[in-house]
Amino acid sequence: MTRSRVVDAVAGLLAAAVALAAGEAASALIGGPSPVVAVGDVVVDYAPGGLVKAAIELLGTRDKPALLIGVTLTSLAIGMLLGPVAGRDRRVGVAAFVAFGLVGALAGARDPLSADAIAVAAAAALAGVVTLSLLLSAASPKGTGVRASMPGPGVADRRRFLLFAAGAAGAAVAGVAGRTLLGPSVDVEEERAAIRLPRMADRFRGVRGLAVNGVSSVITPNDDFYRIDTALVVPRVAVESWRLSVTGMVDRPYEVSFADLVGMASVEQSLTLACVSNEVGGDLVGNAIWLGVPLAEILERAGVQEGATQIVGRSVDGFTAGFPTEIAFDGRPAIVAIGMNGEPLPAIHGFPARLVVPGLYGYVSATKWIREIELTTLEAFDAYWIPRGWSKEAPVKTQSRIDVPRDGRTVDMGRVAVAGVAWAGVRELSRVEVRINATGEETDEWHEARLGEPLSQSSWRQWVYEWDAAPGEYRIEVRATDGDGATQTHEQRPPAPDGATGHHAVRVNVRRT
C-alpha cells in the first residue's frame, strides 16, 4: 500500500508547529531568542532598503507582527512540504530539522545578550525530529511492515495517527502557552520598581496646556508615546549586569553601570522626539520629560580625539544610529536618558538607558537599550538605516498638525476652536498660522493662532485659533514658522529620505444650528 501524501503533509505541518512551539518555550525557560524571532531579526537586518521602505509604507507600526507571522507561516509551509518527502525517507526529515536548528542557532547567536541560542535551537530541532518520526510511523499504512516507534503493538492505523496528531497539536499549543506563562527571563517591571531616580526641579510638575478638548497634551503620557524601532521582541535587560561603554576615537575608553548613571543624572528637560517616517499630520511624534546625564559630560570624561566626526550609538540588540559629533557640544540638551515622565524608562522606550538628541530624527540618534557609544568618523561607518536609503544627516523639519476638528467632522456654526501642536526641532517656534477656505474658494489670508506656553526650546507647543464658523464646507490648513524666521514649506514630499514636508489640512462641514 502507498503512503498518503495528505497525511504525511499533516505530519510535517504538525512537526514544524511543535518545533516552533518548543523553541518559544525553551526561549522563555532558558533565555535565548526563539528561532522565529532570531530569523526575523536576520530578515530585518539584511532586507534590501526598498523592501524595508515598502513594508513601512504598507504596514506602518504593524510591520513587526507581520514579519513574525510571515516567518511562522513560512516555517509551517516548509514543514507541510517536507512531510511527504520524509515519509519516503526519514533521513530527509531528520536532516531538515537539523538544518532548521542550525539556522536558528546561527541567527540567535548574533544576539549579544544571548549565550543560549544553540540550546534553544537544539530543543526546537529535537522536538521537530521526534514529532515527525512519531507521526510518520503512526501514518505508515498497514501491510508495509513498518512498525510504529511508539508504545503499543502492531502497525499503525488511522485512529493511532489521529491520536498522535492531536497530541502534537496539543504540544504545540502548550509550548506557545508556556512562553506566556514562563514570561521573560528578566522581569523589567520588577527592576524598574526597585529604582529610585533623583528628583529634579519642579518646573514641569503639574504643567497645564490649552483648555481645548481633543488637542494633544503638552506632555505625552508614556503609554501613548509612539514606538518605532527594529526590535521584534523588546529587549529585557538586567540592570545589575548592564554596562554602557564609551569606545572608539577617545583617549580614555571606559564603562559605567546603571547606578553610576543614576548618580550622574543632572538634567531633566522637555524634549520632542519625531520619527522620520511620520507623514504630514501623523502621530509618530511626542513630547516627554527626559531625565539623564548630558551626553557632552559622558564624552568629555572619555576625551574625544581630534578627527572623531561621528557618534554611533549601539543597542543591545545590534541596532546602530549615528550623528555628527559636533551636535553633542552645540548647546542642545542631548542626554543619555534613564527616566521618562518621572519614572524609569519603560521597556519599550529603552530601559535601562537610551540616547535622546533633540532636533534630530530618531533613526540617526535615538538609540534605545543602548550598550555602547563609539566615536568614529562620518566616512568610516554607516548606521543601520543609511544603507537602506535614508539620509545620513537628519535635522527635524518644522511641522504643525491640526488635532481638532478632525478631518471629515461636522461642527456647529459659531465659535470653533481649531487647535493642534507644532514643533521645529531645536529652533523653537515663533508663529503658527491657519488658513480657512470655503469649498470652491481660494484665499491667501492666514490667521495667526495663539501659542501655548513653551516648556523648552526643543519641545512642541500647543496652538489654537478661535474661528467664527458660518455654515458650509471648508478646508482648514496650518503652517508654522520657526525661531529663525523660516516658515515650513507647502511642498508635499514623502518621509523618505529625510522627513516629510507640506501643510497639514482637514476638511470640515459647518452646520446651521
Side-chain angles (χ1 to χ4, degrees):
M1 296 179 64
T2 60
R3 299 186 66 90
S4 168
R5 292 180 60 84
V6 173
V7 172
D8 286 348
V10 172
L13 174 66
L14 288 173
V18 170
L20 293 176
E24 293 297 322
S27 172
L29 184 63
I30 301 174
S34 74
V36 170
V37 172
V39 171
D41 282 334
V42 172
V43 174
V44 169
D45 288 348
Y46 293 101
L51 181 61
V52 172
K53 287 182 182 179
I56 292 174
E57 292 173 359
L58 178 64
L59 301 171
T61 57
R62 298 183 297 275
D63 56 345
K64 297 179 184 66
L67 176 56
L68 293 177
I69 292 171
V71 172
T72 300
L73 293 179
T74 299
S75 301
L76 294 175
I78 292 174
M80 188 167 60
L81 295 174
L82 172 67
V85 180
R88 296 191 297 270
D89 187 344
R90 303 290 173 84
R91 293 172 298 180
V92 175
V94 173
F97 277 103
V98 169
F100 166 82
L102 182 61
V103 169
L106 292 175
R110 298 168 62 254
D111 184 349
L113 285 182
S114 175
D116 303 305
I118 294 178
V120 172
L126 180 61
V129 168
V130 171
T131 302
L132 184 63
S133 177
L134 291 176
L135 288 174
L136 290 177
S137 295
S140 296
K142 293 181 178 180
T144 62
V146 178
R147 296 187 62 83
S149 57
M150 63 187 79
V155 295
D157 57 20
R158 178 179 300 175
R159 180 178 298 176
R160 180 172 295 165
F161 175 80
L162 293 177
L163 178 64
F164 275 82
V173 173
V176 175
R179 168 81 184 201
T180 302
L181 293 174
L182 290 170
S185 57
V186 176
D187 189 338
V188 172
E189 292 309 308
E190 181 178 326
E191 299 226 348
R192 292 177 70 239
I195 294 170
R196 295 294 177 265
L197 296 177
R199 185 175 179 83
M200 298 287 121
D202 291 333
R203 59 195 176 107
F204 298 122
R205 311 288 185 244
V207 171
R208 295 183 180 180
L210 298 176
V212 180
N213 289 332
V215 70
S216 298
S217 59
V218 180
I219 300 173
T220 309
N222 290 352
D223 290 342
D224 296 335
F225 207 95
Y226 76 95
R227 178 202 167 189
I228 296 290
D229 51 60
T230 62
L232 294 179
V233 175
V234 176
R236 304 281 173 169
V237 183
V239 167
E240 286 301 317
S241 60
W242 175 87
R243 296 292 184 274
L244 173 63
S245 302
V246 184
T247 65
M249 298 176 63
V250 294
D251 296 327
R252 299 173 295 279
Y254 72 101
E255 64 179 29
V256 293
S257 67
F258 184 77
D260 293 331
L261 288 183
V262 172
M264 296 166 64
S266 61
V267 173
E268 189 175 47
Q269 187 60 272
S270 171
L271 305 174
T272 295
L273 296 186
C275 178
V276 71
S277 297
N278 196 39
E279 300 280 356
V280 172
D283 59 0
L284 299 181
V285 58
N287 189 71
I289 308 301
W290 305 93
L291 168 70
V293 184
L295 178 58
E297 180 180 330
I298 296 283
L299 299 178
E300 286 168 351
R301 176 176 169 182
V304 177
Q305 295 177 358
E306 185 177 354
T309 55
Q310 182 176 202
I311 297 169
V312 176
R314 297 183 183 276
S315 171
V316 298
D317 68 349
F319 175 79
T320 56
F323 54 94
T325 305
E326 61 189 21
I327 285 176
F329 300 100
D330 68 0
R332 73 184 70 195
I335 61 175
V336 176
I338 58 173
M340 181 179 183
N341 290 335
E343 62 183 68
L345 290 173
I348 63 170
H349 294 304
F351 180 86
R354 64 173 294 170
L355 278 178
V356 176
V357 185
L360 295 182
Y361 285 117
Y363 80 98
V364 298
S365 64
T367 310
K368 300 178 182 178
W369 314 291
I370 193 167
R371 65 175 175 85
E372 180 183 3
I373 297 174
E374 179 188 8
L375 275 296
T376 182
T377 67
L378 289 166
E379 298 77 20
F381 182 77
D382 286 337
Y384 179 87
W385 283 111
I386 309 311
R388 290 163 172 80
W390 297 86
S391 177
K392 193 155 187 170
E393 296 190 20
V396 171
K397 292 179 168 60
T398 300
Q399 280 289 352
S400 50
R401 184 180 74 201
I402 300 171
D403 290 337
V404 290
R406 296 288 186 181
D407 188 38
R409 295 294 176 87
T410 297
V411 299
D412 292 333
M413 62 179 292
R415 184 60 61 92
V416 173
V418 180
V421 289
W423 58 96
V426 293
R427 299 178 300 278
E428 206 170 13
L429 281 167
S430 63
R431 186 168 65 252
V432 172
E433 299 168 290
V434 173
R435 180 165 65 181
I436 302 173
N437 283 318
T439 300
E441 298 180 0
E442 191 69 31
T443 177
D444 289 329
E445 184 179 6
W446 289 90
H447 308 277
E448 187 163 353
R450 175 166 56 90
L451 294 176
E453 292 299 316
L455 294 188
S456 78
Q457 183 175 333
S458 303
S459 63
W460 68 13
R461 294 178 70 175
Q462 296 174 322
W463 58 267
V464 61
Y465 172 69
E466 299 292 347
W467 172 39
D468 291 321
E473 294 181 352
Y474 297 87
R475 182 177 186 272
I476 306 174
E477 187 177 352
V478 65
R479 71 181 184 185
T481 299
D482 66 23
D484 296 334
T487 301
Q488 69 178 99
T489 178
H490 70 280
E491 180 184 358
Q492 294 285 336
R493 287 180 48 196
D498 59 358
T501 65
H503 295 169
H504 185 216
V506 298
R507 294 185 180 276
V508 298
N509 179 61
V510 180
R511 63 189 171 197
R512 190 179 301 275
T513 56

